[in-house]
Amino acid sequence: MVVLGSTGSIGINTLEIAKKFNIAVEVLACGSNIKLLNEQIQTHKPKVVVIANKEDMKDVNHNNVYAGQENLLSIIADAKSSLVVNAYVGFLGLRPTLVAIESGKRVALANKESLVACGAFIDTSKIQPIDSEHFGLWYLLQERPIEKMIITASGGAFRDWDLKKLQNATLADTQKHPNWSMGQKITIDSATMVNKMFELLEARWLFGEGSYDAIIETKSLIHAMIDFKDGSTTAHFANASMQLPIAYALDAKMDEKILNNVNLLKVGSLEFREIKTDRYPVWEIREELLKNPIAGIVINAANEVAIEKFINKEIGFMEISSMILKAHNTFTTMPKNVDDVFALDEEIRKCLSN
Ligand code: NAD
Ligand code: MG
């Protein structure tokens, strides 16, 4: 298989599962963590390696190294593997998803920004989602009349914070996620609840029109629930580890133990909370977005610009949400094809960066 973003949180877990199931790695691609990449090269012996920057090429212990997005895209297209795991973070993951599908490959997709920004123009039958919530929904889906699909949120780093303190929250504060250890961007997205909004949009593209919602479950042991027309509800319980969704994305007929089952006696109790707009202002537009999911491109671009500004200390934490809401009201012409998606992304970034 081809692993994009091999040195990230998902990438590392993916290579663990690949080792467990003896899956050969043809291509390893990542950004700039060359030290970890060199360790991965030793273990997995890929045929080709791709990194972000030319300057780092000399430090990579491999005789077939390339740099940059152009090279990456042709390597994906030419790869012999039938599976591409896309664990890049952000909009930069979209082209690789499109090229992998165009060249007839199956995509195990962790890069949620691909679907959020361009779901209308992606053939989701070629995609296996790597996310606990969509894996949970897929796991629960049965041939029974469904009323509603519900995913859960942890509430992120600030779920218990005094609302007044949120203005002054720092980057370091956003990274104290209660249940999951993930990359920097998705951990910020959890604190703003943008991540859950993204997941509702992804669910809409993956599982089609219907009724979707999210609630907070503070221990992240339930990932998804389905309300059926008959009044019954099923839930997917699993310990908080991405290795389960990854294992199914790499080999859907897995019958080996991946995780220990949740021990409900040890867990003792669960707590559920409503997602409120005073703490998570982006939640205001969730129904509108689910009706018009193509607008995900706007939310994604505004979010990436806002996060960069927040990291550079140009704006406060709550301004991430206000920038997103403002962009949602400003950019209302929706893309009609993939080229429009890239053009609109660029336009929004230009407008908001000033
Ligand atoms: P991460 O920040 O830990 O890793 C990102 C990877 O992308 C790294 O390998 C990095 O080297 C690479 N990268 C970053 N910038 C690059 C660039 N300019 N050029 C080339 N490579 C670059 O992120 P993560 O937490 O693993 O998340 C990856 C994706 O999976 C995100 O879209 C995230 O929302 C999604 N996701 C993550 C989790 C999780 O548990 N971490 C769960 C569900 C979905
Ligand atoms: Mg998730």
Side-chain angles (χ1 to χ4, degrees), residues 112 131-133 199:
K112 56 183 68 194
D131 212 340
S132 24
E133 297 76 8
E199 290 176 355

Side-chain angles (χ1 to χ4, degrees), residues 71-83:
N71 284 320
L72 174 78
L73 296 178
S74 55
I75 286 164
I76 295 171
D78 296 344
K80 297 206 172 57
S81 304
S82 57
L83 177 66

Side-chain angles (χ1 to χ4, degrees), residues 79-131:
K80 297 206 172 57
S81 304
S82 57
L83 177 66
V84 174
V85 179
N86 186 351
Y88 279 137
V89 57
F91 190 73
L92 78 98
L94 174 56
R95 284 266 188 229
T97 299
L98 295 171
V99 169
I101 293 175
E102 269 163 31
S103 58
K105 296 169 176 80
R106 203 160 59 83
V107 180
L109 187 66
N111 180 255
K112 56 183 68 194
E113 294 84 356
S114 290
L115 276 180
V116 171
C118 197
F121 313 108
I122 288 176
D123 175 2
T124 52
S125 71
K126 303 290 187 305
I127 283 178
Q128 210 93 32
I130 295 184
D131 212 340

Side-chain angles (χ1 to χ4, degrees), residues 158 163 166-167 190-194 197 275-289 299 317-326 328:
F158 303 138
L163 283 178
L166 286 181
Q167 308 277 12
S190 295
T192 54
M193 210 45 90
V194 165
M197 186 95 95
I275 299 172
K276 296 213 172 125
T277 52
D278 51 358
R279 190 173 299 275
Y280 308 107
V282 294
W283 214 243
E284 265 168 43
I285 55 173
R286 88 175 184 292
E287 279 181 16
E288 233 178 289
L289 273 177
I299 308 304
F317 175 73
M318 293 307 278
E319 281 170 275
I320 300 176
S321 304
S322 34
M323 274 185 78
I324 293 170
L325 294 178
K326 200 165 157 218
H328 175 70

